[in-house]
Amino acid sequence: MPDSCAKLLADNELTVVFIESATAGYLSHRFSVSPYSGDVLMGGLVCYDVSLKKNVLNVSSQLIDKYTAESLEVTHELVNKSKKMFDADLHVACTGLLKHGGSETKEKPVGTFFYCIGYDNKVYDFRCLCSGPPEQKLRSLNSLICKSIIEVVSNSS
């Protein structure tokens, strides 16, 4: 899936940057092994710990305290902050609960992920639930994000 997604970006001369929390660089890695990586992948930032969200990306403590570090609101803000830091056509941010120890609740169980795609002056918000061991969750999430990127870019053209 990353190959077809990266090919679409390359065909449209678009670049992407990833801001990764729960995925800890997995999305960037998957794109880096694509034959189109040199054409599309700008790089990214892993902000697994909340201190990086606050101190590097300047996400407000109030926003994190109100919604938690693993939330759609914070993920949306990661895209907005990354636009000021990285010159790319797409800004993709992801937070979530890969395993126990985060902000899981009955309404937000382990396996819940939030991702946002900033493209063409809009931010598209997504929430999903992935099951299985952590590696399976990452593979599923990667596929969902790639499908969403393809949809966003294709529908905006």
Side-chain angles (χ1 to χ4, degrees), residues 42-96:
M42 299 295 296
L45 175 70
V46 174
C47 56
Y48 195 84
D49 188 79
V50 71
S51 66
L52 289 171
K53 292 174 183 72
K54 292 178 182 179
N55 299 327
V56 175
L57 289 157
N58 297 313
V59 175
S60 76
S61 294
Q62 292 83 3
L63 188 70
I64 293 170
D65 291 344
K66 183 173 181 178
Y67 296 106
T68 77
E70 303 91 4
S71 64
L72 193 55
E73 293 81 3
V74 168
T75 309
H76 192 104
E77 186 67 358
L78 292 174
V79 166
N80 289 333
K81 296 294 186 175
S82 73
K83 288 179 179 181
K84 297 174 184 171
M85 297 177 70
F86 303 104
D87 184 22
D89 299 301
L90 286 102
H91 296 80
V92 180
C94 180
T95 66

Side-chain angles (χ1 to χ4, degrees), residues 1 10 20 40 49 71 79 85 89-90 122 135 147 153:
M1 183 57 72
E20 301 185 61
V40 302
D49 188 79
S71 64
V79 166
M85 297 177 70
D89 299 301
L90 286 102
K122 295 178 187 151
E135 295 81 9
K147 286 177 186 174
V153 170

Side-chain angles (χ1 to χ4, degrees), residues 70 96-100 102-114 127-130 137:
E70 303 91 4
L97 302 162
L98 186 62
K99 54 190 190 301
H100 294 285
S103 61
E104 68 262 18
T105 64
K106 192 176 192 179
E107 296 77 29
K108 185 173 68 172
V110 170
T112 302
F113 295 94
F114 305 95
R127 176 187 174 135
C128 63
L129 182 63
C130 299
K137 287 182 186 110

Side-chain angles (χ1 to χ4, degrees), residues 132-152:
E135 295 81 9
Q136 182 179 337
K137 287 182 186 110
L138 288 172
R139 286 190 301 273
S140 297
L141 180 60
N142 182 61
S143 291
L144 289 169
I145 290 173
C146 287
K147 286 177 186 174
S148 296
I149 290 171
I150 290 168
E151 183 178 307
V152 164

